[in-house]
Amino acid sequence: MTQNIRYSVDADGIAILAIDVAGRPMNVLTPEFRADLAECIDKVVADSAVRGAVVCSAKSSFMAGADIKDMVGAFDRGITAREASGSSWELHKLFRRMETCGKPLAAAINGVALGGGLELALACHYRVIEDGAKAGVGLPEVTIGLLPGAGGTQRVPRLIGIPAALRLITEGKQLAPADALKQGLVHEVAPADQIVERARQWILKGGEGVQPWDKKGFKVPGGAGQTSPAVAQAFMAGTALTARATMRNYPAPVAILSCVYEGTQVPIEQGLRIESKYFGKLLSGVVARNLMRTLFVNKGLADKLMRRPAGPPKSQVRRLGILGAGMMGAGVAYVSARAGMDVVLLDSTLELAEKGKDYSRQLLAKDVSRGKRTQADADAVIARIKPTASYDDLAGADLVIEAVFENREIKADVTAKTEAVIPKNAVFASNTSTLPITGLAQASKRPAQFIGIHFFSPVDKMPLVEIILGKKTNEDTLARALDYVGQLRKTPIVVNDSRGFYTSRCFGTFVNEGIALLQEGVNPALVENGAKLAGMPVGPLAVSDEVSIDLSWKVMTQTEKDLGRRYDKPVSYDTVRKFVEELKRPGRRFGAGFYDYPQDGKKHLWPGLADVFPRAPQQPSADEVMKRLLYIQALETARCMEEGVVTTAAEADLGSILGWGFPAWTGGTLSYIDTVGVRNFVAECDRLAKRYGKRFKPSKWLRERAERNEPFHPAAGGDTKAA
Ligand code: NAI
C-alpha cells in the first residue's frame, strides 16, 4: 500500500495495483505517483509468489494524464529544454522497467485513459477497456501544444502502424472503446464490472510479459522510414497538411511527425530518447505555455464561473423569454431549449416567431439524421420553444433576452412592454453588439436588473458569451446571468460598459487595419494571406464582407451621431462609406463587397480593388503585414485594460481567442504582448506609429508598464493559483 496506489495480491498470485492519486478527483501523473508506481513494480518483480499484475483505477476513470496545472508554469519557471527532456526520460525509464520486468502486466481501463494515462496502459502488455459511453482512449497533447512524452509517439506506431498513429497523435481525438479495439490499441472491450477479471484471466491463461517491439525480428506494422511507400506518403501528406493547418505557428504537430519518423527507424530505447528531446523543446517553449494557460487553466476557471459574486444563491433559468426571433434570437432559443429551458420566443408577428423556431427544427433534424440525437429527444427540445407575438406569454420568465433590431427606440419600447408583464425580480438582458448598456438601461424601471448578455454568431457554435455590466447592474443580476451561461455550458467573460464593449471594439481594429493596408496600396491578397499566416481564421477583407460593410457603416454613423465632435474617425471611414454609398458593394449578403460572389463559382477578390486603390510600387513583407494586424488588436486590448473595460488578463485572452478568433498560439491578445515582451511591444508600436499613424501610439500607462517591464500575467503561472 502506497499513498497513491492500493497494492494487493490475490489468492492466484496476481498483484492488483489500484491507482488512487491522493487529493485529486482524477488520477494524474504526479511525481509522487511515479515514485509509488516504481515501488509497486519492484514489489511485483521481487515477490516470487506474484505471477503478474493488473493496473487499474480506484477512481471513476483510469487516468487523465499529466497535470496540466503543474506544466503550465514550467516556461515561467525558466525550465530548459534539457530539464524538460530529463523529466520525460525519467518516465521512459519507469515504463521501460514495467514492460521489460519479465512478468505480464495488464491494464484494466475504466472511463478514460488519456495522454500519460494511455501511455501508462501502453507500457502494459495487455489492455482491457470498459464498454461505456463515456469510456475511451486518446493522446490529446497536441491540443495543448505538446506531444505525448511518455512513449506515445513510439509505442503507438509500433502497435498500430505509422499512418493510423499519426492520425491519432496529430489530431488528438478521443477514440471510443470499439474504435480503440478495431485499431488495435486495446485487446478487449468488456462490461465495466468485468475488466479487472478479464485482465486477471489473461495473466492466468499464460499471457506473455513481452512487448511486440522487444521480440527478435520486430518490424513496425506497415513499415517505417522511406522504404514503405504508404508510410512515405503518410509523412509527405502529413507535412503538407500540417503546414497548411498550422501556418507553422504551432511547433507540436511538426515535432510529432519528426518523432515518429526518426524514432521508428531505430530501436525503441533510442526512439524514446528522440521523443524526450522533442518533448523538452515543446514544454520549454512559449506556445505550449500560452495554449495551456489560456485554453486549459483559465478557460477552466471561467467555465467554473470565477467571476460570479459569492453572495447571491445559485439560480437556474427555467423559463426564458427572447425578444426578436431573428438570427440571434433564434440561435439563443435553440441553445437554451437544448439545455432544458422553456423558451418563449417573441417577434412582432407569430409568423416571424415561427420562422425563428424553424431554425431549431432545422438544426435538430440535422442532428437526428446524423444519429447524434433521437427523434424523441429532438421533439422534446422543439416542444420547449413557444413562438408568440403576445407579451402576456412572457409572464413567469426568470430571464428575458432582447435581440431585436439594433435600434435604441425599438429596444426601449420592447423593454417597457416586457417589464410590464415579467416578475418583479426577473433579469432583463440585451444582446446588443454595440449600444452601451447603461444607456439602454435608461428605458428600464429596474436598471439594477438590467445587463448585457452578448452572444456571438452562430450562437450554437461560438463558445464565448460576453457579459456586460451597466453602471447600475447589481451583483445578484451578474450572478444570475453567469448562472444562465453556466446552464448553456458556454464560457463567460465579464466586462464593463463601453462602446463596442470589449470584443467588438478590439475585433474592429483588425478589420480597420486590413482596410488601412488596402488604402496604402498593399496587394489585397497579401493583406488576406498575411492575416491567415498570423493565424487569424479569415482575412480582414473577407470577414468585413461577412459581417457586412453596411453594418460597419451603420455603426460608424450611429457613433458619429452619438459622439458628435468627440468622434475620432477610424482610418477606414472613407473606404467604408465609399463601398456602401458610392460603389454599392456593401458585403457578401448583397453579392458584392471587397470580394465578388459569382453565382456559379468561388468567391474571389474584386478585381476593381486595383483601380480604387492603385498598387504601391513597394510592397511590405508578409511579416510586417502580420505584425500590424496582430499588434493593433493587442494594443486595443491593452487600452481596454487601462480603461477598465476588461479587468483580468485571463478574460482578455479568452475573449480574444474564443470571441473573435485571435490566434490560439499567442495565448490571446495580452499573452501575445507578454510573449513579445512588453518593452519590445511598445518599441515596435512606436515604430509602427511613426510609419503608419497615431493609432499605434502606446498610451502613457502602457509605456510606464514597459518601463517597469511588467507583464500582464504574473510570471510562474501566478494567475493560475486560484485553480
Ligand atoms: P435580425 O434582424 O436578424 O433579427 C431581429 C429580429 O427582431 C427580427 O426578427 C425582427 O422581426 C425582430 N423585431 C424587430 N423589432 C421588433 C419588435 N418591436 N418586437 C418584436 N420583435 C422585433 O437581427 P440579429 O442579427 O438577430 O440581431 C439582433 C440583435 O443582436 C441586435 O441588437 C444585434 O446588434 C445583436 N447582435 C447581432 C449579432 C450578429 O452577428 N448578427 C452578434 C451579436 C449581437
Side-chain angles (χ1 to χ4, degrees):
M1 184 81 183
T2 65
Q3 211 192 352
N4 301 289
I5 302 175
R6 296 186 205 158
Y7 184 92
S8 59
V9 180
D10 67 17
D12 294 319
I14 295 186
I16 306 288
L17 278 61
I19 308 169
D20 191 2
V21 175
R24 307 287 182 129
M26 284 282 266
N27 287 325
V28 282
L29 280 174
T30 59
E32 297 76 22
F33 165 75
R34 294 181 188 194
D36 288 354
L37 182 60
E39 193 183 318
C40 290
I41 298 301
D42 284 347
K43 261 201 242 175
V44 168
V45 175
D47 189 345
S48 58
V50 170
R51 50 197 291 189
V54 174
V55 180
C56 59
S57 163
K59 295 195 199 282
S60 61
S61 216
F62 185 75
M63 185 173 264
D67 185 352
I68 297 181
K69 284 198 200 91
D70 199 34
M71 291 195 296
V72 77
F75 177 86
D76 297 321
R77 287 194 303 272
I79 195 171
T80 62
R82 181 186 275 266
E83 284 161 353
S85 295
S87 77
S88 149
W89 182 246
E90 285 306 311
L91 206 47
H92 284 329
K93 282 199 289 196
L94 173 58
F95 285 2
R96 273 306 273 164
R97 165 109 177 96
M98 286 173 70
E99 64 186 6
T100 59
C101 75
K103 292 188 180 177
L105 305 179
I109 303 168
N110 61 329
V112 294
L114 299 175
L118 175 58
E119 290 172 295
L120 168 65
L122 289 169
C124 297
H125 306 99
Y126 194 77
R127 286 165 291 284
V128 189
I129 188 170
E130 164 197 348
D131 183 13
K134 289 193 178 146
V137 298
L139 294 169
E141 285 86 346
V142 70
T143 60
I144 51 169
L146 293 174
L147 57 77
T153 70
Q154 299 306 306
R155 291 192 178 90
V156 176
R158 283 172 171 81
L159 204 57
I160 65 175
I162 287 173
L166 286 180
R167 271 196 301 280
L168 184 80
I169 308 172
T170 55
E171 289 173 11
K173 286 192 189 133
Q174 190 173 316
L175 293 184
D179 294 328
L181 180 69
K182 203 156 87 192
Q183 296 219 3
L185 279 168
V186 300
H187 301 85
E188 226 183 307
V189 178
D193 57 357
Q194 289 175 29
I195 52 173
V196 173
E197 183 52 25
R198 298 277 183 101
R200 257 173 41 82
Q201 286 302 327
W202 174 76
I203 298 170
L204 290 173
K205 284 183 191 145
E208 197 184 10
V210 183
Q211 294 281 36
W213 42 88
D214 286 322
K215 289 183 183 161
K216 220 175 153 93
F218 169 76
K219 286 204 165 56
V220 175
Q226 290 295 340
T227 49
S228 154
V231 168
Q233 172 71 24
F235 279 113
M236 253 185 322
T239 311
L241 289 175
T242 301
R244 194 172 69 180
T246 65
M247 295 295 171
R248 302 188 198 282
N249 291 318
Y250 297 82
V254 183
I256 290 167
L257 287 168
S258 304
C259 267
V260 176
Y261 182 77
E262 295 171 30
T264 49
Q265 297 181 61
V266 292
I268 187 139
E269 300 269 356
Q270 275 169 270
L272 293 170
R273 282 223 176 262
I274 291 169
E275 182 185 275
S276 285
K277 184 185 80 180
Y278 282 106
F279 177 82
K281 275 191 195 160
L282 294 179
L283 184 65
S284 59
V286 74
V287 172
R289 191 283 308 269
N290 285 345
L291 288 168
M292 287 191 280
R293 185 172 61 194
T294 301
L295 293 180
F296 184 83
V297 178
N298 289 337
K299 180 173 179 299
L301 290 174
D303 291 345
K304 282 191 205 136
L305 312 183
M306 67 167 172
R307 287 294 307 276
R308 189 187 187 283
K314 183 141 185 57
S315 68
Q316 200 184 13
V317 172
R318 294 207 169 77
R319 190 171 167 82
L320 174 76
I322 299 175
L323 312 178
M327 187 165 98
M328 297 305 289
V332 177
Y334 169 68
V335 296
S336 304
R338 195 177 60 175
M341 288 166 241
D342 286 329
V343 176
V344 178
L345 183 58
L346 180 143
D347 210 296
S348 32
T349 67
L350 184 59
E351 204 189 344
L352 283 169
E354 274 290 354
K355 216 174 126 207
K357 181 171 173 174
D358 281 344
Y359 181 70
S360 290
R361 289 195 182 96
Q362 284 157 17
L363 292 182
L364 289 163
K366 218 187 263 172
D367 274 2
V368 173
S369 72
R370 289 182 183 159
K372 282 195 190 156
R373 198 185 276 281
T374 63
Q375 187 61 51
D377 184 40
D379 291 345
V381 176
I382 280 295
R384 284 198 281 271
I385 304 176
K386 180 181 170 56
T388 185
S390 159
Y391 281 83
D392 291 342
D393 285 328
L394 295 171
D398 310 293
L399 167 70
V400 173
I401 298 174
E402 167 279 300
V404 298
F405 296 140
E406 190 76 337
N407 173 300
R408 225 183 292 276
E409 288 74 41
I410 300 179
K411 287 193 190 292
D413 178 52
V414 299
T415 305
K417 283 182 178 149
T418 302
E419 285 186 350
V421 291
I422 56 174
K424 285 269 171 295
N425 64 348
V427 169
F428 189 99
S430 175
N431 181 48
T432 174
S433 42
T434 52
L435 302 170
I437 292 299
T438 308
L440 292 181
Q442 284 167 4
S444 166
K445 289 209 172 84
R446 312 160 193 162
Q449 286 154 245
F450 198 104
I451 196 165
I453 301 185
H454 180 207
F455 287 89
F456 295 77
S457 174
V459 179
D460 61 303
K461 296 227 169 70
M462 298 296 282
L464 191 81
V465 178
E466 186 177 27
I467 303 273
I468 304 120
L469 299 172
K471 268 219 176 73
K472 295 190 177 161
T473 309
N474 67 16
E475 285 211 332
D476 188 56
T477 304
L478 170 61
R480 289 171 65 184
L482 283 169
D483 288 342
Y484 166 65
V485 178
Q487 277 178 270
L488 298 180
R489 296 184 176 279
K490 290 195 180 280
T491 303
I493 59 167
V494 179
V495 308
N496 288 314
D497 206 6
S498 135
R499 196 164 282 277
F501 318 124
Y502 165 55
T503 53
S504 305
R505 174 171 158 182
C506 294
F507 169 69
T509 62
F510 168 63
V511 172
N512 210 37
E513 198 57 28
I515 295 176
L517 283 154
L518 194 63
Q519 289 169 175
E520 289 165 27
V522 176
N523 185 337
L526 179 54
V527 176
E528 297 292 81
N529 288 331
K532 285 192 226 155
L533 281 172
M536 295 296 298
V538 192
L541 304 176
V543 83
S544 184
D545 273 9
E546 291 295 331
V547 275
S548 98
I549 309 174
D550 186 49
L551 182 65
S552 303
W553 183 232
K554 280 204 181 109
V555 173
M556 283 178 189
T557 44
Q558 175 73 50
T559 315
E560 197 169 11
K561 210 166 96 193
D562 290 350
L563 297 184
R565 281 169 153 215
R566 284 181 297 133
Y567 183 45
D568 191 10
K569 282 185 191 165
V571 63
S572 62
Y573 184 91
D574 289 334
T575 297
V576 169
R577 186 195 52 73
K578 190 177 192 133
F579 269 69
V580 175
E581 297 203 329
E582 282 173 34
L583 299 168
K584 310 282 180 217
R585 300 186 66 88
R588 178 175 197 147
R589 238 175 338 135
F590 308 90
F594 294 115
Y595 282 74
D596 268 337
Y597 300 91
Q599 299 251 312
D600 50 351
K602 263 179 81 176
K603 74 170 188 184
H604 53 81
L605 281 158
W606 176 45
L609 287 176
D611 302 321
V612 186
F613 309 106
R615 210 58 51 86
Q618 273 277 355
Q619 292 289 310
S621 67
D623 275 349
E624 181 79 344
V625 173
M626 281 157 59
K627 189 173 272 179
R628 280 176 64 173
L629 291 171
L630 293 185
Y631 269 53
I632 199 76
Q633 300 175 68
L635 185 60
E636 193 66 19
T637 304
R639 288 188 189 118
C640 286
M641 278 294 275
E642 178 179 357
E643 292 167 25
V645 174
V646 62
T647 55
T648 68
E651 287 174 294
D653 280 345
L654 276 171
S656 67
I657 296 179
L658 302 181
W660 79 85
F662 196 76
W665 63 267
T666 63
T669 38
L670 293 184
S671 277
Y672 180 58
I673 299 182
D674 285 356
T675 300
V676 172
V678 62
R679 274 193 184 145
N680 297 335
F681 183 81
V682 164
E684 257 321 86
C685 283
D686 278 333
R687 179 184 73 79
L688 295 169
K690 240 188 228 147
R691 193 132 189 218
Y692 305 110
K694 66 177 179 16
R695 63 188 178 283
F696 280 105
K697 204 157 174 250
S699 68
K700 184 164 163 270
W701 178 86
L702 188 60
R703 216 175 274 290
E704 284 170 2
R705 200 168 185 116
E707 273 158 25
R708 296 193 303 273
N709 206 15
E710 184 187 341
F712 286 96
H713 291 273
D719 57 343
T720 66
K721 273 192 195 127

